[in-house]
């Protein structure tokens, strides 16, 4: 059974700090892991996707790592800005009972204080 | 804004009715998807269309019929709604069809409540 957990549930930091969001999953049989951000009332914005054979992906100030064997991923945000305030979700793509599914964590609500 | 958009955001209806949910993407993507979020918060894929052609139909009841008038739109029509159809439905798109391996861009979801 695949379960995705994100820690912490909420995080508030001053502008300019570097920070790490954590994601863990219980079943390592995944196709890929994806980090999203969600702004209030809006859809999911894809940030980074890491295939199961990859170790990390980088986009601008974001770096995501994947350790499939230990069931962990981290999202590193450098030099945080108020515009980074959002809920960050990680999701693993897997096959459950023969059907392709995307399993999401509960999210980390990030607040960057000016 | 470039995005995947869905209408309506909320839909409340009676059992037995027929309803449609619309999805549009202006990202220039070739592939669009419909997902249903189940009670455990998993998103289960229902349909996938590539260039207006159906490529995935994940054992969804015939009451669900997707329609893709062009590659920027994928609408979901549901006949004879049942209580168990109550869920949040997400539309998504991707540049090309790459199975479970590609990045997909999601809409905000439509919360359907069947009374």
């Amino acid at each position: 059974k695949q379960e995705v957990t994100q820690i912490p549930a909420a995080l508030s930091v001053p502008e300019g700090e570097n920070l790490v969001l954590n994601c863990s999953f219980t079943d390592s049989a995944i196709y890929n892991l994806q980090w999203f951000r969600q702004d209030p009332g809006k859809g999911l914005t894809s940030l980074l996707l890491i295939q199961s054979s990859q170790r990390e992906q980088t986009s601008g100030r974001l770096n995501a790592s994947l350790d499939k064997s230990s069931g962990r991923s981290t999202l590193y945000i450098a030099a945080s800005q108020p515009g980074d305030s959002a809920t960050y979700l990680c999701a693993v793509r897997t096959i459950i009972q023969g059907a392709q599914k995307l399993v999401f964590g509960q999210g980390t609500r990030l607040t960057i204080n000016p | 804004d470039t995005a995947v958009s869905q209408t309506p955001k909320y839909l409340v209806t009676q059992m037995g009715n027929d309803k449609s949910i619309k999805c549009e993407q202006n990202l220039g993507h070739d592939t669009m998807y419909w997902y249903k979020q189940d009670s455990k918060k998993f998103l289960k894929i229902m349909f996938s269309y590539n260039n207006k052609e159906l490529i995935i139909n994940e054992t969804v009841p015939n009451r669900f019929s997707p329609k893709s008038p062009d590659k920027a739109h994928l609408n979901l029509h549901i006949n004879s709604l049942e209580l168990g159809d109550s869920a949040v439905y997400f539309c998504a798109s991707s540049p090309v069809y790459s199975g479970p391996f590609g990045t997909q861009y999601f809409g905000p979801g439509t919360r359907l409540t069947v009374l």
Side-chain angles (χ1 to χ4, degrees):
Chain A
K1 180 183 174 186
Q2 182 68 270
E3 292 182 359
V4 180
T5 305
Q6 290 186 246
I7 295 173
L11 182 63
S12 181
V13 300
E15 181 179 1
E17 283 201 5
N18 303 325
L19 58 100
V20 173
L21 306 181
N22 296 293
C23 172
S24 61
F25 48 96
T26 54
D27 187 344
S28 62
I30 63 171
Y31 286 102
N32 54 49
L33 183 144
Q34 196 164 359
W35 282 93
F36 296 87
R37 71 174 277 168
Q38 185 168 35
D39 296 282
K42 295 193 176 178
L44 301 169
T45 301
S46 178
L47 297 173
L48 290 163
L49 179 139
I50 311 177
Q51 301 294 354
S52 62
S53 58
Q54 297 175 323
R55 298 284 293 182
E56 66 177 332
Q57 284 286 331
T58 298
S59 175
R61 294 182 293 108
L62 305 178
N63 175 277
S65 68
L66 174 64
D67 183 343
K68 202 175 77 157
S69 60
S70 67
R72 292 181 184 176
S73 176
T74 60
L75 179 67
Y76 175 82
I77 303 177
S80 57
Q81 302 171 357
D84 295 331
S85 297
T87 296
Y88 289 80
L89 296 150
C90 76
V92 297
R93 190 172 292 274
T94 184
I95 299 290
I96 297 176
Q97 295 179 332
Q100 187 192 138
K101 291 191 179 182
L102 203 57
V103 183
F104 282 82
Q106 294 301 310
T108 294
R109 190 170 68 253
L110 176 65
T111 304
I112 307 299
N113 302 307
Chain B
D1 284 347
T2 55
V4 180
S5 59
Q6 294 178 227
T7 53
K9 194 171 181 180
Y10 301 96
L11 182 54
V12 181
T13 188
Q14 300 283 339
M15 252 186 359
N17 284 349
D18 303 338
K19 290 293 178 185
S20 291
I21 307 172
K22 295 185 177 180
C23 178
E24 176 181 2
Q25 55 93 4
N26 59 4
L27 298 163
H29 290 170
D30 283 346
T31 309
M32 296 185 73
Y33 312 81
W34 275 108
Y35 287 82
K36 180 180 179 182
Q37 184 176 45
D38 64 21
S39 57
K40 294 181 181 178
K41 303 299 184 186
F42 297 169
L43 263 63
K44 181 178 177 181
I45 194 164
M46 299 171 67
F47 299 102
S48 176
Y49 268 70
N50 190 58
N51 276 322
K52 305 192 297 175
E53 292 192 9
L54 179 67
I55 51 175
I56 289 180
N57 180 345
E58 289 281 353
T59 318
V60 176
N62 290 338
R63 298 181 296 103
F64 290 79
S65 53
K67 294 266 191 309
S68 182
D70 54 62
K71 74 175 191 178
H73 295 84
L74 182 62
N75 304 323
L76 183 64
H77 188 75
I78 315 171
N79 289 327
S80 304
L81 278 156
E82 301 177 356
L83 293 177
D85 297 332
S86 295
V88 181
Y89 292 83
F90 286 90
C91 177
S93 72
S94 62
V96 295
Y97 179 69
S98 52
F101 300 101
T103 300
Q104 296 180 10
Y105 299 79
F106 285 79
T110 295
R111 182 176 294 278
L112 171 65
T113 303
V114 182
L115 303 175

